[in-house]
Amino acid sequence: MRLPFRSWVVLELLMNLACCCRSTIMGKLLSLLARDENSCCSAQQKYDIFLDFENAQPTESEMQLFDEVQIVLTEASDVLSDLKHYAGADQYIRAAINNPSAEQNALTWEALMPRIRTLRRFYFFSQKIAFVVPQILTEICSDDITPSLHLENQQALVKQFSEIIEFVLKFDEYKVYCRWQYFIIKLY
């Protein structure tokens, strides 16, 4: 299993999820990835599953869902870029509160509108993520085949699911970083 470091972090997160929901299908699927024999998530038998995320291709039956999710993932990089460059409007809001006037209110409104549109875009993108994640999980955690066969046969969807989790981790990281920057700036 050759994965970049970030993917190992995602798999570790998934393993923690598996510990919490061990009795569910998803827990069974994720428990196959357990590396520690003493873990509560370790399967009784060790499975040798090769996850080739670099060359994973969707099957015919997965193609429609794969394409839907790929559209969402394509937009994810733009959302991360917008969040990384997001700047608050604290100074405009303070100025409008401290110096209430029609001119200051107009300046504040002009400064806030692009930020409101950005936040609105984040919200609507989160709705897209919330729509596709259950679809992916339904497909890769169904009861019709064993969890090991899901991992072997649906690697493209498993890869997309890990990319969504990676996006969520990066989004939270950038969000925390933005808050930290504002906190540091406010100290000075």
Side-chain angles (χ1 to χ4, degrees):
M1 195 184 309
R2 294 179 312 160
L3 298 173
F5 172 74
R6 195 111 175 123
S7 295
W8 280 115
V9 171
V10 170
L11 287 175
E12 287 296 323
L13 175 67
L14 290 174
M15 288 310 305
N16 290 336
L17 281 172
C19 285
C20 297
C21 57
R22 206 173 7 170
S23 62
T24 66
I25 304 293
M26 184 177 169
K28 291 177 187 173
L29 177 69
L30 297 175
S31 69
L32 295 174
L33 301 173
R35 292 185 281 162
D36 183 12
E37 292 180 10
N38 299 324
S39 169
C40 68
C41 298
S42 294
Q44 298 292 8
Q45 293 178 302
K46 288 294 176 185
Y47 297 95
D48 187 21
I49 299 171
F50 177 70
L51 294 177
D52 187 10
F53 280 174
E54 293 174 11
N55 300 312
Q57 295 296 319
T59 62
E60 230 8 81
S61 62
E62 300 171 333
M63 191 59 77
Q64 182 182 357
L65 178 58
F66 180 86
D67 290 341
E68 289 176 27
V69 175
Q70 197 57 43
I71 291 169
V72 173
L73 287 172
T74 302
E75 188 180 347
S77 62
D78 294 337
V79 169
L80 285 177
S81 177
D82 287 350
L83 179 60
K84 193 172 188 176
H85 298 101
Y86 182 80
D90 292 352
Q91 68 274 16
Y92 293 103
I93 294 170
R94 275 197 208 98
I97 292 170
N98 293 333
N99 184 17
S101 67
E103 181 181 331
Q104 186 60 49
N105 286 345
L107 285 173
T108 303
W109 187 252
E110 287 178 35
L112 284 176
M113 283 312 295
R115 289 157 178 88
I116 291 170
R117 282 197 239 16
T118 301
L119 293 175
R120 185 173 188 256
R121 179 174 183 220
F122 293 164
Y123 171 76
F124 285 121
F125 185 74
S126 74
Q127 297 298 305
K128 292 177 186 178
I129 294 282
F131 180 74
V132 297
V133 166
Q135 291 180 338
I136 292 175
L137 290 176
T138 299
E139 188 67 30
I140 64 176
C141 298
S142 64
D143 276 334
D144 56 344
I145 60 176
T146 64
S148 59
L149 285 177
H150 275 297
L151 284 176
E152 288 176 11
N153 298 337
Q154 297 177 311
Q155 290 189 14
L157 290 179
V158 172
K159 176 186 176 185
Q160 285 184 321
F161 182 64
S162 68
E163 288 174 350
I164 288 172
I165 291 178
E166 184 175 12
F167 163 79
V168 170
L169 292 172
K170 283 183 181 179
F171 189 88
D172 284 347
E173 177 185 326
Y174 290 167
K175 195 169 60 174
V176 168
Y177 179 72
C178 286
R179 285 187 191 150
W180 182 248
Q181 277 184 327
Y182 294 137
F183 178 71
I184 296 290
I185 290 170
K186 287 179 183 179
L187 287 177
Y188 297 105

